[in-house]
């Protein structure tokens, strides 16, 4: 039955492409989580009225975030080719896509982190400061725990965007389901391959959203 409706679909190619997509997404999500929180925290803490208020640093970080957040992903991949070759000594394959995926998504997540931190009641922060809490104590004991539901929701949205980025990266030789859909599906007019690759991408997105919703619901005490 499967071979009748999907004659051009090779199980080995689908499995390999799925593994490559999951690899790119997983590594990128972890790196984006770390870099995004650092950038978002820096944006928040150096803004007006916050613990590390510094107009110059805030302006520089904000500019970097805005620039990389605004560049279309396919253009970003092309711009980062020299940097990618320097890092991984290659411009093709799943590993070569990682720099662009991380640099493209971390600024986006950083803004979500900043938004989540700004939603924290200022009274909670002031109370911690009045009790003599250090800046690092406030970060670890107040800011991150209070913003955790927003951080999880944000990384869920970012992870879903990253799945889409991996599909776009596949068009320029990064591997994964996007690459399979483009090379084996679109270019060879094998619509069944494109359909299966699309279904698997959607399945990954739904699973990420489902897991993110469950975690957010468990930790959100509001």
């Amino acid at each position: 039955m499967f071979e009748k409706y999907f004659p051009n679909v090779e199980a080995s190619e689908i499995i390999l492409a799925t593994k490559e997509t999951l690899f790119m997404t997983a590594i990128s999500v972890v790196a984006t989580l770390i870099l995004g929180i650092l950038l978002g925290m820096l944006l928040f803490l150096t803004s007006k009225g916050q613990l590390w208020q510094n107009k110059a640093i805030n302006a520089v970080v904000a500019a970097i975030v805005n620039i990389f957040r605004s560049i279309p992903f396919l253009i970003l991949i092309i711009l980062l080719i020299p940097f990618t070759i320097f890092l991984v000594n290659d411009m093709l394959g799943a590993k070569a896509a990682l720099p662009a995926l991380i640099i493209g998504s971390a600024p986006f997540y950083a803004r979500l982190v900043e938004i989540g931190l700004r939603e924290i009641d200022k009274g909670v922060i002031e109370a911690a400061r009045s009790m003599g809490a250090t800046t690092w104590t406030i970060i670890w004991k107040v800011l991150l725990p209070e913003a955790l539901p927003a951080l999880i929701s944000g990384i869920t949205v970012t992870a879903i965007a990253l799945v889409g980025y991996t599909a776009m990266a596949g068009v320029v030789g990064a591997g994964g389901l996007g690459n399979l859909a483009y090379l084996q599906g679109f270019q060879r007019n094998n619509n069944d391959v494109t359909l299966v690759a699309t279904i698997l991408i959607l399945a990954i997105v739904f699973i990420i959203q489902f897991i993110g919703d469950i975690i957010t619901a468990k930790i959100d005490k509001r």
Side-chain angles (χ1 to χ4, degrees):
M1 180 67 72
F2 184 85
E3 293 180 354
K4 178 181 178 181
Y5 292 103
F6 303 97
N8 302 300
V9 176
E10 293 288 339
S12 59
E13 292 181 346
I14 287 291
I15 292 172
L16 176 60
T18 303
K19 286 181 178 179
E20 288 175 339
T21 294
L22 292 174
F23 167 78
M24 289 187 285
T25 303
I27 299 298
S28 299
V29 166
V30 172
T32 296
L33 180 66
I34 296 170
L35 290 176
I37 288 178
L38 290 176
L39 286 172
M41 189 70 70
L42 192 58
L43 280 171
F44 174 74
L45 291 174
T46 58
S47 61
K48 185 177 180 180
Q50 300 303 330
L51 299 172
W52 292 345
Q53 178 177 328
N54 189 307
K55 188 175 182 180
I57 293 178
N58 185 266
V60 170
V61 176
I64 293 172
V65 167
N66 290 336
I67 289 171
F68 284 101
R69 192 166 62 109
S70 303
I71 300 174
F73 184 68
L74 284 176
I75 296 176
L76 182 64
I77 293 177
I78 296 170
L79 290 175
L80 290 175
I81 285 177
F83 180 64
T84 300
I85 293 175
F86 172 76
L87 283 182
V88 300
N89 200 33
D90 199 353
M91 59 176 286
L92 300 175
K95 288 184 179 179
L98 293 177
L101 289 170
I102 295 166
I103 293 173
S105 59
F108 172 76
Y109 182 54
R111 283 299 184 187
L112 297 180
V113 171
E114 183 190 17
I115 292 170
L117 292 170
R118 289 191 181 281
E119 291 178 350
I120 298 174
D121 186 355
K122 292 183 179 180
V124 177
I125 301 174
E126 292 301 324
R129 294 178 69 177
S130 66
M131 290 187 291
T134 64
T135 299
W136 291 109
T137 299
I138 292 174
I139 291 173
W140 287 105
K141 300 294 185 180
V142 179
L143 296 179
L144 289 177
E146 289 290 326
L148 193 56
L151 299 183
I152 298 299
S153 295
I155 198 61
T156 301
V157 172
T158 306
I160 291 172
L162 273 166
V163 175
Y165 286 169
T166 64
M168 285 188 282
V171 176
V172 291
L177 292 167
N179 185 74
L180 184 70
Y182 180 70
L183 292 181
Q184 301 296 327
F186 175 74
Q187 286 197 337
R188 298 185 181 183
N189 201 30
N190 294 328
N191 294 327
D192 54 338
V193 176
T194 303
L195 177 61
V196 171
T198 302
I199 291 173
L200 288 172
I201 289 173
L202 289 173
I204 293 171
V205 168
F206 289 148
I207 290 170
I208 291 173
Q209 187 66 63
F210 178 72
I211 294 173
D213 289 343
I214 289 177
I215 296 175
T216 302
K218 286 188 176 182
I219 63 177
D220 194 348
K221 305 301 182 182
R222 292 174 294 180

